[in-house]
Amino acid sequence: MSERFSYRDDREAYNAARVKALESLLIEKGIISSETVDKVLGFFETDFGPFNGAKLVAKAWADPEFKARLLSDTPAAIAQMDFPLGMAGAEGEYMKVVENTPKVHNLIVCTLCSCYPWPMLGLPPYWYKDPTFRSRAVKEPRKVLQEFGLELDESKEVRVWDSSAQIRWFVLPERPIGTEDMSEAELAALVTPEAMMGVAQVKVPA
Amino acid sequence: MKLQHYLGGLEGIDTEPLNFEKRVFVEPWETRIFGIHVAMMGLSKHLNKALPQYPIENVPTKFNSIWTWADLRKGAEAMNPFDYFRFRYYEKWLGGISSFFVQSGYITQEELDARTATYLEKTDAPNPSMFEPAIDDQVIDYLHRGDPAIREVDRQPKFNVGQKVLVKDVPTTEHTRLPGYLRNKTGIVDEVYQGAYAYLCSTGADGLGEPMYVYSVKFDPKDIWSDITQSNSWVYADLFEVYVEAAE
């Protein structure tokens, strides 16, 4: 929506200098260390990220008992996995999974901000944080999904989950046809963050 | 009312179709303000009273404030709505967090402006050196253990699954977790979550803070927006007990 407003000519250069100034001052004043920000960013590369959610989805597809547990008691199912430490940590204290089926499609949103299940999905993409998605997803989810390339049959029920308290929601997508012979690792490689947010289906590469 | 509390259902904000930008950060500098915010949350003084009882007094940081999501949100909710839409997501973080450090007296506006001017010229100047693993360890420990909200309470939930509830029109304060589009609307309790959830701060007359039950409430979009005639869709919102009352 940038064309509606005016900005400094050096908008991004200024922002970059501003944040660098802030970080360097915080280091000098003893608030954070020279390594704090890098360590946080590294943590989101290796420990919290959609690679965890993808493994969870793949296991649920492969193991019906695990899937039942994931849907009824998400933290218990996550605790069974061979994940790094901290899967019930920040923004993952109370996670819940909803299942897409041939009859029901789920979509997650946070109309008040950008609440998101960090340990399983990492950090949210820009579209999810955009006020335009947040305003439209609750009122016209089918149209929003259509604009994202997902056409749903009129007969399919759509459930939109507004993350307005402490539960952090994500979606167990439908397993695509033609994946019967795949290993869990191969299945996990197909699962995108968008599929776990309910704006895309999992597809098998042609 | 604050527009930021009423985003759900707002029309005509931008041209269609939606921008499907899948990156988490669209400029490299955005990663830095994200990291600073996480560090502040992990060093927040309230964490000694959090359930993991972090030994926050022993962490060798000069940060001496409470900083949670609620504080970041208060900043965004206090913005002029035009500015809220004008600035990109992490630009709002940068503005809010910079103002917090100036207003709290950790840094001055003059030194922040002067340093910014310097870095506009010297874009690849290195950061100062200050190594203190105990600070970093606390931040990572916070990521690992979080800030669980559920507390023991000596009472039962007021509402049951299947019950019709009316969303209250509570007073507007500096922060809320009540989506504005649901005010004065009726829905059905779909689930009563186990345990009572405290909130990160008191929201005053809005009503959050002390531990209370939270409900998944199911709404028919036709009951929220009168121009919807058919949808075959439902909106589920997680609502704190103080936001709802029995309908009829």
Side-chain angles (χ1 to χ4, degrees), chain A residues 1 3-8 10-41 43-44 47-48 85-91 93-94 96 110-115 118 123-136 138-144 147-149 153-169 194 199-200, chain B residues 5 7-11 13-14 16-27 29-36 38-39 41 43 61-63 69 73 82 84-86 88-91 94 97-98 101 106-107 109 111-113 115-116 119-120 123 125 127-132 135-136 139-140 142-150 176-179 181 191 193 197-199 214 216 225 227-228 231-238 240:
Chain A
M1 50 178 68
E3 62 279 4
R4 279 181 211 287
F5 298 107
S6 61
Y7 299 90
R8 309 169 58 104
D10 61 350
R11 178 181 181 184
E12 302 306 339
Y14 177 83
N15 286 335
R18 190 73 162 178
V19 77
K20 194 170 167 63
L22 179 65
E23 186 181 351
S24 72
L25 286 167
L26 298 182
I27 295 167
E28 276 179 22
K29 309 272 178 186
I31 290 165
I32 58 174
S33 86
S34 303
E35 300 176 300
T36 310
V37 169
D38 286 332
K39 284 183 182 172
V40 168
L41 298 175
F43 187 85
F44 280 86
D47 289 52
F48 282 10
L85 274 179
M87 293 297 116
E91 293 304 291
E93 293 95 338
Y94 309 103
K96 278 186 178 283
C110 173
T111 62
L112 287 171
C113 47
S114 53
C115 294
W118 280 8
L123 299 174
Y126 246 99
W127 63 261
Y128 182 80
K129 303 178 285 210
D130 191 318
T132 320
F133 170 76
R134 289 157 50 205
S135 62
R136 292 182 55 204
V138 280
K139 186 171 179 192
E140 44 177 10
R142 284 174 199 279
K143 188 145 186 294
V144 164
E147 287 172 25
F148 283 171
D153 195 272
E154 277 302 312
S155 65
K156 197 174 231 193
E157 179 183 327
V158 176
R159 297 178 185 169
V160 183
W161 300 86
D162 191 351
S163 312
S164 43
Q166 282 107 328
I167 312 291
R168 299 291 173 261
W169 295 93
E194 276 68 29
V199 299
Chain B
H5 295 165
L7 276 193
L10 190 63
E11 295 185 43
I13 300 179
D14 209 356
E16 299 173 4
L18 280 176
N19 180 6
F20 204 18
E21 172 56 67
K22 294 182 189 172
R23 287 175 294 172
V24 172
F25 302 107
V26 294
E27 290 287 334
W29 67 263
E30 295 180 330
T31 61
R32 311 311 293 182
I33 196 65
F34 169 74
I36 290 169
V38 171
M41 289 203 299
L43 299 171
T61 173
K62 295 288 194 307
F63 192 58
W69 286 111
R73 290 287 306 148
F82 289 176
Y84 185 83
F85 289 115
R86 178 177 169 226
R88 212 168 53 233
Y89 185 75
Y90 288 114
E91 286 179 308
L94 177 56
I97 291 170
S98 302
F101 279 114
Y106 290 102
I107 60 174
Q109 190 67 47
E111 63 187 341
L112 181 61
D113 289 343
R115 189 72 60 99
T116 305
Y119 285 145
L120 267 170
T123 52
N127 267 338
S129 285
M130 195 281 269
F131 296 96
E132 188 48 86
I135 292 179
D136 310 336
V139 174
I140 299 299
Y142 161 73
L143 286 170
H144 279 152
R145 296 198 285 166
D147 187 0
I150 290 185
T176 189
R177 292 308 303 172
L178 174 59
Y181 68 96
E191 183 174 353
Y193 295 119
Y197 289 74
Y199 193 64
V214 175
S216 173
W225 297 287
D227 55 324
I228 292 182
S231 68
N232 195 16
S233 70
W234 304 93
V235 174
Y236 293 78
D238 292 332
F240 286 89

Side-chain angles (χ1 to χ4, degrees), chain B:
Chain B
M1 70 178 264
K2 291 180 178 169
L3 185 62
Q4 287 88 316
H5 295 165
Y6 286 80
L7 276 193
L10 190 63
E11 295 185 43
I13 300 179
D14 209 356
T15 49
E16 299 173 4
L18 280 176
N19 180 6
F20 204 18
E21 172 56 67
K22 294 182 189 172
R23 287 175 294 172
V24 172
F25 302 107
V26 294
E27 290 287 334
W29 67 263
E30 295 180 330
T31 61
R32 311 311 293 182
I33 196 65
F34 169 74
I36 290 169
H37 166 67
V38 171
M40 294 164 74
M41 289 203 299
L43 299 171
S44 174
K45 283 296 158 196
H46 83 285
L47 288 175
N48 62 345
K49 296 190 190 71
L51 281 186
Q53 292 189 321
Y54 296 93
I56 207 76
E57 289 87 357
N58 304 334
V59 178
T61 173
K62 295 288 194 307
F63 192 58
N64 197 28
S65 304
I66 290 176
W67 184 264
T68 70
W69 286 111
D71 299 285
L72 187 73
R73 290 287 306 148
K74 282 176 196 170
E77 292 170 36
M79 288 176 83
N80 175 307
F82 289 176
D83 283 337
Y84 185 83
F85 289 115
R86 178 177 169 226
F87 292 115
R88 212 168 53 233
Y89 185 75
Y90 288 114
E91 286 179 308
K92 287 179 266 207
W93 287 36
L94 177 56
I97 291 170
S98 302
S99 299
F100 166 81
F101 279 114
V102 171
Q103 282 163 14
S104 306
Y106 290 102
I107 60 174
T108 66
Q109 190 67 47
E110 291 70 28
E111 63 187 341
L112 181 61
D113 289 343
R115 189 72 60 99
T116 305
T118 302
Y119 285 145
L120 267 170
E121 299 295 321
K122 295 190 219 167
T123 52
D124 51 4
N127 267 338
S129 285
M130 195 281 269
F131 296 96
E132 188 48 86
I135 292 179
D136 310 336
D137 291 348
Q138 165 58 32
V139 174
I140 299 299
D141 191 33
Y142 161 73
L143 286 170
H144 279 152
R145 296 198 285 166
D147 187 0
I150 290 185
R151 300 288 185 276
E152 294 269 326
V153 291
D154 189 18
R155 60 175 182 278
Q156 295 301 309
K158 283 186 188 162
F159 308 106
N160 306 311
V161 169
Q163 193 169 350
K164 197 172 178 186
V165 289
L166 173 69
V167 180
K168 293 188 212 168
D169 192 14
V170 295
T172 300
T173 59
E174 62 179 345
H175 181 42
T176 189
R177 292 308 303 172
L178 174 59
Y181 68 96
L182 297 175
R183 286 171 184 255
N184 300 310
K185 307 298 180 188
T186 49
I188 305 289
V189 174
D190 192 68
E191 183 174 353
V192 181
Y193 295 119
Q194 284 191 354
Y197 289 74
Y199 193 64
L200 298 161
C201 65
S202 163
T203 60
D206 171 79
L208 301 189
E210 294 302 312
M212 67 182 81
Y213 290 97
V214 175
Y215 303 88
S216 173
V217 183
K218 180 182 183 179
F219 295 88
D220 184 337
K222 297 196 289 293
D223 294 336
I224 305 175
W225 297 287
S226 56
D227 55 324
I228 292 182
T229 50
Q230 60 176 65
S231 68
N232 195 16
S233 70
W234 304 93
V235 174
Y236 293 78
D238 292 332
L239 298 179
F240 286 89
E241 190 164 77
V242 72
Y243 291 149
V244 293
E245 62 191 30
E248 296 165 327

